[in-house]
Amino acid sequence: MSRTSTTAPRKRDLPLGSRAPRVVRRTPLLHLLWKAGVFVVGAVVVATGIVLLPLPGPGWLVIFGGMAVWATEFVWAQRVLRWTRRKVTEVTRRALDPRVRRRNSVIVVIGLVLAAGGVGAYVWRFGVFTL
């Protein structure tokens, strides 16, 4: 007797395609309007993220939020998000490797020592400007 898994499929295992309600997908005109609405909302969110990139704020997070809106309807956006998720997982796994963390810590300490030496040399040569 074989056992079947009772767990729900993960999001990345879901088939690509529209996530619109069935009643919307059955009517071609309604589905076209739905897709246009999703595209416009996603475009507004992505444009807001692009504006936030040089400003203080979560620009990239907002851009990926707009991509997630697009991914509810468009296969190309679903593929981009899957690829991004794989890359972020891979980079996170590599960053948490103890050897990489140790190396990065050494690099940061060396950089801080060099910066402190540069500030010390500047203060020794030119003094501290006071008002």
Side-chain angles (χ1 to χ4, degrees), residues 1 40 50 58-59 72 79 81 112 131:
M1 177 180 241
V40 168
I50 290 171
T72 63
R79 287 185 177 142
L81 283 180
L112 290 173
L131 294 173

Side-chain angles (χ1 to χ4, degrees), residues 105-120:
S105 297
V106 169
I107 290 172
V108 167
V109 168
I110 290 171
L112 290 173
V113 167
L114 289 175
V119 169

Side-chain angles (χ1 to χ4, degrees), residues 77-128:
Q78 292 168 3
R79 287 185 177 142
V80 168
L81 283 180
R82 285 181 183 183
W83 179 84
T84 304
R85 187 178 298 126
R86 279 195 314 269
K87 291 300 179 184
V88 167
T89 302
E90 179 183 318
V91 167
T92 302
R93 183 183 46 77
R94 277 191 279 143
L96 294 178
D97 180 22
R99 290 176 293 162
V100 173
R101 290 177 64 192
R102 192 175 315 118
R103 183 200 65 203
N104 290 346
S105 297
V106 169
I107 290 172
V108 167
V109 168
I110 290 171
L112 290 173
V113 167
L114 289 175
V119 169
Y122 178 85
V123 169
W124 177 73
R125 173 72 173 97
F126 297 108
V128 178

Side-chain angles (χ1 to χ4, degrees), residues 16-79:
L16 297 174
S18 176
R19 305 272 195 282
R22 188 175 301 150
V23 68
V24 171
R25 285 181 299 195
R26 274 190 273 168
T27 310
L29 179 61
L30 193 55
H31 194 209
L32 181 65
L33 290 173
W34 178 274
K35 284 179 109 166
V38 167
F39 182 80
V40 168
V41 170
V44 168
V45 174
V46 168
T48 303
I50 290 171
V51 168
L52 288 176
L53 282 177
L55 302 173
W60 283 109
L61 186 63
V62 174
I63 289 172
F64 287 124
M67 289 296 294
V69 170
W70 278 338
T72 63
E73 194 58 37
F74 301 105
V75 173
W76 61 267
Q78 292 168 3
R79 287 185 177 142

